[in-house]
Amino acid sequence: MIIGYTTGVFDMFHIGHLNILQRAKEHCDYLIVGVSTDECVESYKHKIPIIPYEQRAAIVEAIKYVDEVVPQTTMDKLIFLKKRHFDVMFHGDEWKGTELYKKYEEEFAKYGAKIEYLSHTEGISSSMLREKIHG
């Protein structure tokens, strides 16, 4: 059984979010999704999500591609891997080849895990929605 893991804020849930979860599930038998807590988002984005954590987690949990939702309390993916093994982490391809993710790939290999990069859905993001709302 292949256990997959992905994370996100999933604020203002849109088709891009659904697509990434569907594509991740196509590559694993059991998909764990880390939904960033409000505190985690505030720590690195310096803003609070529009939709509170509990509601974002409930939305993601209701999606048929998702087997389990866990709170993401830190951006350090290695901490979760050490706590709860998974075989493959799915992440947006804009991070592929960066120093941080090269390091993750090396560290994950020590635990028998790998990273698969998925492309984002063109023309949609929570940031774009935020701009439309605020004009």
Side-chain angles (χ1 to χ4, degrees):
M1 181 163 96
I2 298 170
I3 299 170
Y5 178 63
T6 193
T7 64
V9 178
F10 302 103
D11 201 12
M12 296 186 288
F13 198 89
H14 55 72
I15 193 67
H17 292 135
L18 186 62
N19 288 344
I20 204 119
L21 295 173
Q22 180 181 10
R23 282 186 260 146
K25 182 63 176 185
E26 289 169 357
H27 294 91
C28 66
D29 301 301
Y30 189 86
L31 181 61
I32 302 168
V33 180
V35 176
S36 300
T37 62
D38 295 344
E39 297 78 13
C40 180
V41 175
E42 192 172 11
S43 74
Y44 75 96
K45 287 195 174 188
H46 310 292
K47 58 186 172 188
I48 297 171
I50 292 171
I51 310 295
Y53 168 77
E54 292 78 16
Q55 293 176 25
R56 291 182 287 113
I59 290 165
V60 172
E61 193 169 43
I63 295 163
K64 68 180 180 180
Y65 309 116
V66 176
D67 295 295
E68 183 180 349
V69 169
V70 296
Q72 177 178 232
T73 58
T74 174
M75 294 304 292
D76 188 337
K77 314 302 186 208
L78 195 56
I79 290 173
F80 186 77
L81 177 60
K82 289 177 181 178
K83 184 170 122 179
R84 181 96 184 268
H85 179 77
F86 53 82
D87 300 295
V88 57
M89 183 178 84
F90 302 99
H91 205 289
D93 61 3
E94 75 276 14
W95 289 93
K96 188 175 185 173
T98 64
E99 287 305 313
L100 177 62
Y101 276 78
K102 284 181 190 175
K103 184 179 175 194
Y104 275 142
E105 288 171 13
E106 291 170 14
E107 291 297 315
F108 279 24
K110 296 175 187 175
Y111 294 87
K114 64 180 182 173
I115 300 174
E116 282 190 31
Y117 297 95
L118 302 173
S119 59
H120 283 277
T121 302
E122 288 296 316
I124 186 76
S125 71
S126 294
S127 298
M128 291 169 119
L129 291 176
R130 221 181 228 103
E131 285 177 26
K132 282 185 180 183
I133 290 168
H134 296 294

